[in-house]
Amino acid sequence: ALPIFLLGTGKLLEGLNYEVATAQSGEEAIEKLKSVIYDLVITDMIMEDMTGIDVLKVAKEIDPHVMVIVLTGHGSLETAVEALRFKADDYILKPCERSELEFRVKNAWNSLINGKRFFNCKNSCPYVLCAIKFVTVLVQNPSRGNGCQ
């Protein structure tokens, strides 16, 4: 069974016309990052096997253009600075409103599409990888169709 926060996040993203898949750990998220190109990673700061900073570092090593949003229920200035130092694109405190998460994902997506950061199109499908409390969600936006050349 998936953790409730992950399930809710997955449903939210599906409702925004993304396809969602999951992984049960940061380690599994990293394995998925190594095998599929993603445009956006959403990771929880605290996970059983590693931190969201670990996932952030690996994601940026694999692809410096991938956008990363870090979620945390244990936010502090220190963790925010650490996330930004390793090039997180956004930092969200949990619990967060559904509308806030939707707004942040849409902003990240718009940044990818509008410009400078939309580099990772593989098989004409942009993806999002989301690691939330022991879990990773993979998200594809099918509405983009064959827009990637």
Coordinates of all heavy atoms in Angstrom, one line a residue, residues 3 10 13 17 20 26 28-29 35 43 45 47 51 67 71 73 75 80 94 98 101 105 119 126 129 134 138 147:
P3 N 1.9 5.1 0.8 CA 1.6 6.1 1.9 C 0.5 7.1 1.4 O 0.5 7.5 0.2 CB 2.9 6.8 2.1 CG 4.0 5.8 1.6 CD 3.3 5.1 0.5
G10 N -0.2 11.8 -6.0 CA -0.3 11.1 -7.3 C -1.7 11.4 -7.9 O -1.8 11.7 -9.1
L13 N -1.7 15.0 -9.2 CA -1.0 15.1 -10.5 C -1.7 14.5 -11.6 O -1.7 15.0 -12.7 CB 0.4 14.6 -10.3 CG 1.3 15.4 -9.3 CD1 2.6 14.7 -9.1 CD2 1.5 16.8 -9.8
N17 N -3.6 16.0 -15.4 CA -3.3 15.4 -16.7 C -1.8 14.9 -16.8 O -1.2 15.0 -17.9 CB -3.6 16.4 -17.9 CG -3.9 15.6 -19.2 OD1 -4.2 14.4 -19.2 ND2 -3.6 16.3 -20.3
V20 N 1.2 9.0 -13.6 CA 1.9 8.9 -12.3 C 2.3 7.4 -12.1 O 1.5 6.5 -12.3 CB 1.1 9.3 -11.1 CG1 1.9 9.2 -9.8 CG2 0.7 10.8 -11.3
G26 N 14.0 6.3 -1.7 CA 14.9 7.1 -2.4 C 15.9 6.4 -3.3 O 16.2 6.8 -4.5
E28 N 15.2 3.6 -4.9 CA 14.5 3.2 -6.1 C 14.3 4.4 -7.0 O 14.3 4.3 -8.2 CB 13.1 2.6 -5.7 CG 12.4 2.0 -6.9 CD 11.1 1.3 -6.5 OE1 10.9 1.0 -5.3 OE2 10.3 1.0 -7.4
A29 N 14.1 5.6 -6.4 CA 14.0 6.8 -7.2 C 15.3 7.0 -8.0 O 15.2 7.3 -9.2 CB 13.7 8.0 -6.3
S35 N 17.6 5.4 -15.3 CA 17.1 4.6 -16.5 C 16.1 5.4 -17.4 O 15.9 5.1 -18.5 CB 16.4 3.3 -16.1 OG 15.3 3.6 -15.2
T43 N 10.9 15.6 -4.3 CA 11.4 14.7 -3.3 C 11.1 15.2 -1.9 O 11.2 16.4 -1.6 CB 12.9 14.5 -3.5 OG1 13.4 13.5 -2.6 CG2 13.7 15.7 -3.3
M45 N 12.2 15.6 2.0 CA 13.6 15.8 2.6 C 13.9 14.6 3.4 O 15.1 14.1 3.4 CB 13.5 17.0 3.4 CG 14.9 17.3 4.1 SD 16.2 17.7 3.0 CE 15.9 19.4 2.7
M47 N 13.5 10.7 4.3 CA 13.1 9.3 3.8 C 13.9 8.3 4.6 O 14.9 8.6 5.3 CB 13.4 9.2 2.3 CG 12.5 10.1 1.5 SD 12.8 9.9 -0.3 CE 14.3 10.9 -0.5
T51 N 18.3 11.0 2.2 CA 17.5 12.3 2.3 C 17.2 12.8 0.9 O 17.7 12.3 -0.1 CB 18.4 13.4 3.0 OG1 19.5 13.7 2.1 CG2 19.0 12.9 4.3
M67 N 14.6 19.8 -13.1 CA 14.1 20.7 -12.0 C 13.8 19.8 -10.8 O 13.3 18.7 -11.0 CB 12.9 21.5 -12.5 CG 13.2 22.4 -13.6 SD 11.9 23.6 -14.0 CE 12.1 24.7 -12.7
L71 N 10.3 18.8 -0.7 CA 9.2 18.9 0.3 C 9.7 18.5 1.6 O 10.5 17.6 1.7 CB 8.1 18.0 0.0 CG 7.2 18.2 -1.3 CD1 6.3 17.0 -1.5 CD2 6.4 19.4 -1.2
G73 N 8.6 18.4 6.0 CA 7.7 18.6 7.2 C 8.6 19.1 8.3 O 8.1 19.4 9.4
G75 N 11.0 21.7 8.2 CA 11.8 22.8 7.5 C 12.5 23.7 8.5 O 12.0 24.0 9.6
A80 N 16.6 24.7 4.1 CA 16.3 25.4 2.9 C 17.5 25.9 2.2 O 17.7 25.7 0.9 CB 15.4 26.6 3.2
K94 N 5.7 21.1 4.4 CA 4.5 20.3 4.6 C 4.0 20.5 6.0 O 4.8 20.8 6.9 CB 4.8 18.8 4.4 CG 5.2 18.4 3.1 CD 5.3 16.8 2.9 CE 6.2 16.2 4.0 NZ 6.5 14.8 3.9
R98 N -3.3 21.7 -1.2 CA -3.3 21.1 -2.5 C -3.1 22.2 -3.6 O -2.3 22.0 -4.5 CB -4.7 20.4 -2.7 CG -5.0 19.9 -4.1 CD -6.5 19.5 -4.1 NE -6.8 19.2 -5.5 CZ -7.0 18.1 -6.0 NH1 -6.9 17.0 -5.3 NH2 -7.3 17.9 -7.3
L101 N 0.7 23.1 -3.9 CA 1.5 22.1 -4.6 C 1.2 22.1 -6.1 O 2.1 22.1 -6.9 CB 1.2 20.6 -4.0 CG 2.0 19.5 -4.6 CD1 3.5 19.8 -4.4 CD2 1.6 18.2 -4.0
V105 N 4.0 23.0 -9.0 CA 4.2 22.0 -10.1 C 4.0 22.7 -11.4 O 4.8 22.6 -12.3 CB 3.4 20.7 -9.9 CG1 3.5 19.9 -11.2 CG2 3.9 19.9 -8.7
F119 N 14.8 20.4 -21.8 CA 15.9 19.7 -22.6 C 15.7 18.2 -22.6 O 16.3 17.5 -23.3 CB 17.3 20.0 -22.0 CG 17.6 21.4 -22.0 CD1 17.6 22.2 -20.9 CD2 18.0 22.0 -23.2 CE1 18.0 23.5 -20.9 CE2 18.3 23.4 -23.2 CZ 18.3 24.1 -22.1
P126 N 7.7 14.4 -21.8 CA 8.3 15.0 -20.6 C 7.8 14.2 -19.3 O 6.7 13.8 -19.3 CB 7.9 16.4 -20.6 CG 6.7 16.5 -21.4 CD 6.8 15.3 -22.4
L129 N 9.5 13.1 -11.7 CA 9.8 12.1 -10.7 C 9.6 12.7 -9.4 O 10.1 13.7 -9.1 CB 11.3 11.6 -10.9 CG 11.8 10.6 -9.8 CD1 11.1 9.3 -9.9 CD2 13.2 10.5 -9.9
F134 N 9.3 8.0 1.5 CA 9.6 6.7 1.1 C 9.2 6.3 -0.3 O 9.2 5.2 -0.7 CB 9.0 5.6 2.1 CG 9.1 6.0 3.5 CD1 8.0 6.2 4.3 CD2 10.4 6.2 4.1 CE1 8.1 6.5 5.6 CE2 10.4 6.5 5.4 CZ 9.3 6.7 6.2
L138 N 6.5 8.9 -10.6 CA 6.9 9.3 -12.0 C 5.7 9.9 -12.7 O 4.6 9.3 -12.7 CB 7.3 8.1 -12.8 CG 8.4 7.3 -12.1 CD1 8.7 6.1 -12.9 CD2 9.7 8.1 -11.9
G147 N 5.1 17.1 -29.1 CA 5.7 18.4 -29.2 C 7.2 18.5 -29.2 O 7.8 19.5 -29.4

